[in-house]
């Protein structure tokens, strides 16, 4: 089931694509829903900390859509306009949590594909720590 934030990202990406269609330079919008991370035996707050840290390190911006929602959005600007967006969604699960990743990239000006952006984001998420880590996430 696609969350409302992923739906909003998809609608925003579609609107961005429509607005770019009128520009003289050719551009493509690349969108990917990346693999989900499952982290056992960690509190939900660990996911929120990792999401914020990963988005901050990979993107230029990281904001939670609503306090405690577990929905984090990052924006990357190149040449003054939005060139990429990414969403990290945290969902509690029996003593641990799941984290989902969605990335959208405008090519050009962004040199990376959405898949490459999500790979950077999931790597940063896996490397981000909050306290003592007793095991990394498993990817599904």
């Amino acid at each position: 089931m696609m969350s409302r934030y992923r739906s909003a990202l998809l609608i925003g990406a579609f609107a961005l694509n429509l607005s770019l269609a009128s520009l003289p330079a050719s551009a493509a919008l690349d969108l990917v829903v990346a693999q989900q991370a499952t982290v056992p035996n960690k509190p939900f707050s660990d996911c929120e900390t990792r999401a914020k840290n990963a988005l901050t390190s990979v993107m230029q911006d990281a904001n939670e859509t609503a306090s405690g929602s577990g929905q984090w959005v990052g924006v990357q600007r190149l040449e003054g306009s939005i060139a990429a967006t990414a969403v990290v969604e945290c969902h509690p699960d029996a003593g641990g949590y799941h984290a989902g990743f969605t990335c959208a990239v405008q090519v050009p000006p962004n040199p990376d594909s959405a898949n490459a952006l999500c790979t950077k984001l999931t790597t940063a998420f896996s490397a981000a720590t909050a306290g003592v880590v007793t095991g990394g996430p498993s990817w599904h």
Side-chain angles (χ1 to χ4, degrees):
M1 183 172 140
M2 189 178 289
S3 79
R4 59 186 157 150
Y5 298 104
R6 285 191 182 184
S7 297
L9 178 64
L10 184 59
I11 290 168
F14 181 72
L16 177 64
N17 195 24
L18 285 177
S19 67
L20 294 174
S22 64
L23 297 176
S26 63
L29 184 65
D30 190 17
L31 176 69
V32 67
V33 176
Q35 293 180 330
Q36 189 178 68
T38 299
V39 181
N41 304 319
K42 288 289 185 179
F44 183 72
S45 60
D46 180 66
C47 186
E48 292 192 312
T49 300
R50 286 178 183 229
K52 181 179 180 182
N53 291 343
L55 284 166
T56 300
S57 70
V58 174
M59 312 291 282
Q60 297 168 344
D61 188 348
N63 293 296
E64 190 172 20
T65 58
S67 182
S69 69
Q71 310 293 322
W72 290 85
V73 179
V75 175
Q76 182 182 55
R77 296 182 184 277
L78 296 173
E79 301 172 12
S81 62
I82 295 175
T85 58
V87 175
V88 179
E89 296 179 77
C90 298
H91 303 281
D93 179 47
Y97 60 83
H98 294 289
F101 304 87
T102 305
C103 300
V105 173
Q106 177 188 340
V107 181
N110 200 315
D112 288 333
S113 67
N115 190 48
L117 177 62
C118 268
T119 297
K120 289 178 184 178
L121 187 59
T122 57
T123 300
F125 182 88
S126 181
T129 59
V132 178
V133 177
T134 57
S138 63
W139 301 98
H140 296 254

